[in-house]
Amino acid sequence: MKNIFFILCLTMVSLCSALAQEFKPGEVWKDTEGNIINVHGGGILYHDGTYYWYGTSMHFNSKASPLKGVGVYTSKDLYEWENKGIALSVYPEGSGHKIEDGCLIERPKVIYNEVTKKFVMWFHLELKGKGYAAAEYGVAVSDSPVGPFKFLHAGRSCSGIKPMNMSVDDVEELSSKQNIKRRDPEWRSVVDKGLYTVRDLGKGQMVRDMTIFVDKDKKAYHIFASEENQTLHIVELSDDYCNYTGRYVRILPGKGNEAPTIFRHKGKYWLITSGCTGWAPNAARMAVADDIWGPWTELENPCIGEKANKTFNSQGTFILPVHGKKNVWIFMADRWNPNNLGDSRHIWLPISFDENGVPELKWYDSWKY
């Protein structure tokens, strides 16, 4: 009888554990210590059998700047996550450092450089007390995936360099039109053509919502909202992943995209983004290209079903390829709670494909990969 009771207990434990191994989008997600997972706008790195989930550590019960910096959690299976603390800490208030307490660090992404053996973090940085006026990137490196990461530099993108898909004639023409205002009939057409690109050639291009993508050839690219959030830029990174090469393009000009996420499938690059509505959700957008440099073709909203027009009340942050699973990707998103950013919920959904091979996003109350 004791053996039977023991077997029943083991069976119940196994059953409960199996039931726990599910993603439940929008529900409270706790770490192995029972605390709410507090990383937002981030991404995941898979390295040597472990997943590392990075994101901004937010204040609870307020709309405020990062609590301490960029947090990191680890997992072997994507379901259970252990808090490893702060991977990148901000400097004390009053230090005058670019990432001092009170700055904004958003959408951090970490990639591993196989040549330098360094873990490289890129993030969107806004300077303390300047709102969203700075529009800079930040870069930090570490010998360990859990940090501590050492801040390297920050700034605007590609100062003094024009995009590869903008001509010298375009630069000259737009230089003469810098006094055009939003109320002017010509404003939209010149913005689409690159009015703000030319405006910012001297100090560098604006960097806001962003992601990092490493292609199959190990070339890495920084993809971000620029030009007052009107146009996305794709910029090639140096071989050490710590700087720009100076090669970049403008894509989807004037379309007002932010929150870029990207993956590659069957030779095509798929980009899923959102519109610019602040903390409020909107309908996702999608684009496809045969080459990372474009041209990019706009497609329909990939979301299907109830609340598809609000991306299921969320905004994308990263597309994760599941290690060891062929053609399995997870669309990671945040359901922002502007009154309590630390409790913004995580929305993870599988990417499926229609009969034409076009990505789709469908809602599931719970699912497994």
Side-chain angles (χ1 to χ4, degrees), residues 213-219 221 264-267 269:
F213 174 69
V214 180
D215 212 338
K216 292 181 178 180
D217 61 1
K218 303 305 178 182
K219 281 285 186 182
Y221 301 88
R264 184 175 178 176
H265 176 52
K266 293 187 176 179
Y269 298 85

Side-chain angles (χ1 to χ4, degrees), residues 200-211:
D200 292 338
L201 278 176
K203 60 183 177 182
Q205 302 302 316
M206 305 176 81
V207 179
R208 287 187 176 146
D209 278 12
M210 53 141 284
T211 194

Side-chain angles (χ1 to χ4, degrees), residues 264-266 321-322 324-329 351-353:
R264 184 175 178 176
H265 176 52
K266 293 187 176 179
V322 178
K325 298 283 186 177
K326 187 176 181 180
N327 298 331
V328 177
W329 290 273
I351 295 178
S352 56
F353 299 87

Side-chain angles (χ1 to χ4, degrees), residues 58-69:
M58 297 284 196
H59 281 291
F60 283 91
N61 301 314
S62 68
K63 178 179 179 179
S65 58
L67 183 59
K68 292 182 180 178

Side-chain angles (χ1 to χ4, degrees), residues 163-194:
M164 293 189 295
N165 55 351
M166 176 179 279
S167 70
V168 173
D169 289 342
D170 289 336
V171 173
E172 292 180 357
E173 175 191 351
L174 294 168
S175 295
S176 66
K177 297 185 176 182
Q178 291 300 309
N179 291 327
I180 290 177
K181 307 298 181 184
R182 184 180 287 266
R183 63 179 178 272
D184 297 331
E186 193 182 0
W187 179 82
R188 172 48 61 191
S189 64
V190 294
V191 166
D192 293 357
K193 201 168 184 179

